[in-house]
Amino acid sequence: MFRKIPSKVKGTTVFREFKNEFSPQVKAFEGMTKAFLDRHAKLIFCSMILVIVASFVLTFFVIEPTSGNQSERLKSEMKTIPEGFGEELSAFQNLSSRAIKISELKTEIDRIIGQDSISKEDSAYLEKAIEQLQYFNNQPNEDEH
């Protein structure tokens, strides 16, 4: 059942075989569609115009746009978030921002240390960066609370 059937024709593709197999049905469907559109052209055109006019009327006269500020709506949606989830989200945000800052500091420190000679500005920056790294490493994690 799952045997590979070798093709004797080199240019044979799956798409071409599907096209050869189903082209009579596709041509019949195209013919029926064209005949239907030719017979009912006025009705189809009028229904398209009717849909456009109805859409215009609904958009500008029936359906009123939502009034209010998006920030107020966002705040009301945020109130539905469970109480502890907001705190966890802010703790996660703090941890991720701290990890990004540590990564940036370590990259800059490695760049400065890798130089043959260090300027005064680099030396001052290196001292501040090391102090900041020590601060971040000594700062208690949010998970310990």
Side-chain angles (χ1 to χ4, degrees):
M1 181 172 163
F2 293 107
R3 285 186 294 172
K4 180 179 178 183
I5 302 172
S7 175
K8 295 185 181 2
V9 180
K10 294 290 182 192
T12 303
T13 62
V14 173
F15 178 71
R16 187 170 292 145
E17 288 299 317
F18 274 121
K19 185 177 178 183
N20 290 340
E21 185 69 29
F22 296 111
S23 63
Q25 288 85 1
V26 171
K27 287 182 182 178
F29 180 73
E30 286 176 355
M32 289 180 357
T33 305
K34 186 176 182 333
F36 177 79
L37 293 175
D38 288 340
R39 273 184 285 167
H40 303 291
K42 285 186 179 181
L43 180 65
I44 292 170
F45 178 75
C46 290
S47 62
M48 287 188 332
I49 297 297
L50 182 65
V51 167
I52 291 171
V53 169
S55 172
F56 178 79
V57 168
L58 286 173
T59 301
F60 291 105
F61 299 111
V62 177
I63 300 174
E64 294 181 17
T66 57
S67 61
N69 194 352
Q70 283 186 342
S71 63
E72 293 174 8
R73 188 173 36 179
L74 182 62
K75 286 179 184 176
S76 66
E77 290 175 2
M78 290 295 282
K79 289 180 182 177
T80 61
I81 294 176
E83 198 169 305
F85 185 72
E87 294 170 3
E88 291 175 7
L89 189 61
S90 66
F92 179 71
Q93 186 178 12
N94 290 340
L95 284 174
S96 63
S97 64
R98 193 164 53 166
I100 290 170
K101 184 67 175 171
I102 289 172
S103 173
E104 290 173 354
L105 287 173
K106 284 184 178 182
T107 303
E108 194 64 24
I109 289 172
D110 290 341
R111 184 191 65 79
I112 292 173
I113 290 175
Q115 294 177 354
D116 291 336
S117 63
I118 299 175
S119 66
K120 290 182 181 180
E121 294 85 19
D122 287 341
S123 178
Y125 179 81
L126 191 59
E127 287 178 13
K128 289 181 182 178
I130 291 173
E131 287 175 8
Q132 286 180 350
L133 272 178
Q134 288 174 347
Y135 170 75
F136 281 129
N137 288 335
N138 293 333
Q139 194 176 30
N141 291 337
E142 296 294 326
D143 297 336
E144 295 174 359
H145 293 294

